[in-house]
Amino acid sequence: MQLVLLGLSHKTTPVELRGRLAWAAGEIPGVLSALCSLPGIEESCLISTCNRTEFYLASEDGVPVLELVLRFWAEAKGVDPEELGPHTYSASDMAVVQHLFRVASGLDSMILGETQILGQVRDAWMLASEHGSLGKYLHALFNQAVACGKRVHSETAISQNAVSVSYAAVELAKKIFGSLKGVTVLIVGAGKMADLTARHLLDSGVREVLVCNRTYERAVELARQYSGRAVPWEDLGRSLGEAEVVISSTGAPGYVITLDLVREAMRHRRYRPLFIVDIAVPQDVEPAAGSVENVFLYNIDDLEQVVLANLEERKREAQKAERIVAEEVRGFQAWFRSQDAVPLIRSLREKAEEIRRKELERLFHRLPGLTDREREIIAGTTALIVNKILNDPTVKVKEFAGGEDGEVYLRAFSLLFNLNPGEKGPEG
C-alpha cells in the first residue's frame, strides 16, 4: 500500500485559481466516491479550504494515481490539466505524513501557528469517515495528524502572540483593561482593518459596539452587523467619552480625532483609560492626543512592530514544533512499516491451522471411540497450544517490521516458516 498526496495551496497558486479549484462542503462526498472508483485507489480524503485543496489517497503499490487524480480534478473543474499541473505539488508515503502533520500543526499556514486548520483537518477526517472512504491507513494517518496538531499547540507557544495587525490591537487592549468584558468599543469609519479588529473584539466579549461614519446609512449598516448602535458624525466627540476602546480607519485626508477632541472626552470620562487604535493611513488621530493622561494611542506602525516581534517569537516556537512533528512522523512510520507483517502473520496462522486440522483428522480416525465432548476438548486444547506458540513470533515480527531493518526481518520470517502470503489483506 502507498500513501499519495496531490494538492495546491497559497504557496503555489494565486487566490483566483484557488477559488476555481476548491470544493464546497456539499460536493466533497461525491468527490470521495469518484476518487475511490478510480483504478487502484483504496481510500481517499479531501481537505478543501480557502488556502489549500489537498487529496490524500491510499492506493495499490505502483499505480500511477497522480495522473488519474490530476485528470479527474481538471475535468471536474473545467481546467486544462497542463494549466493545473504547474500549480500543484505531490508526495508519497512518509513525505505525505510529514506534510499533513505540519499542516495540522499550523506550520504550513499563511499565518504561522494558526489553529483554524487543525479543526479543518479534523472535519475532513470526520466527513471522509462518515462517507466510508477511509480505511485503516488514512484513518490512522488523520487520527495521528490531529493528535500531533493538538500536541504542538499544547506543548509550544506557536499559536500565542498576535501576528496580525487587527489581532495585535485586541491583545494590546486586553493588556490595558485586563478583560474586555463590559467594555464599549467605538468604530470610526468603515475600513476593512477596523472591521476585522471589531470582530476580534466581539469574540473577546465586549459589551457594546458604537459605529460612527460620515455617511450615517453606512454606520447603520455596520452597526447591524455587530449588533451595535450607529452614531451620527456630529456626535463623535460625545461617543469618545462613552467608549473605552476606539478603532479609527476613515481614509480622511486630515485628523478626524484631534487633541482638543480627546482632551474634552477625557474630562467628560474623568480620565478613565481610553485605548485608541489608529489604523488609518494617513493617520486619523492627532499624535499629540497620545500625551493626554490615561490615553493609550497606537498607530499602524506601532502595531506592525508588535506583529513583527511576535512573529519572531512564533518562529522560535516553530523549531520546537518541527521536533514534535518529526517524532510523530517516526511513530507513524513504525506503524506503517509494521503493516507489511500482516499478510505474513495471516499466512503463518493459516498454515498452522491447516496442519492442526489435518493432524486432528488423523487422530480422530485412529481413535474412533472418542465422544463428541472429548473431540471438542482436544480440538480446543490444540487450538490454544497453536495460538500460544505463535503469539511471540507474531508480536515480534510486527515490532521488527516497524524498524529500519524491517524488510530484512520480514524476509527472514518468511524463509524460516516457508510462507507464501500472496496479496495483503485488510487485517491490522
Side-chain angles (χ1 to χ4, degrees), residues 88 275 400:
T88 65
F275 178 66
F400 294 150

Side-chain angles (χ1 to χ4, degrees), residues 295-314:
V295 172
F296 301 87
L297 173 61
Y298 290 88
N299 61 32
I300 191 75
D301 290 339
D302 298 325
L303 295 175
E304 286 179 345
Q305 287 302 312
V306 171
V307 166
L308 288 173
N310 289 347
L311 186 57
E312 287 303 311
E313 180 60 29
R314 283 200 179 192

Side-chain angles (χ1 to χ4, degrees), residues 23-73:
W23 303 89
E27 298 176 302
I28 291 178
V31 174
L32 296 175
S33 293
L35 289 170
C36 288
S37 70
L38 295 175
I41 295 180
E42 304 288 340
E43 306 174 29
S44 65
C45 191
L46 171 60
I47 298 174
S48 191
T49 72
C50 58
N51 283 330
R52 72 179 65 247
T53 296
E54 294 178 341
F55 297 90
Y56 290 86
L57 311 160
S59 68
E60 298 173 10
D61 290 329
V63 176
V65 295
L66 287 175
E67 295 176 17
L68 293 173
V69 177
L70 182 67
R71 193 179 311 118
F72 161 77
W73 194 1

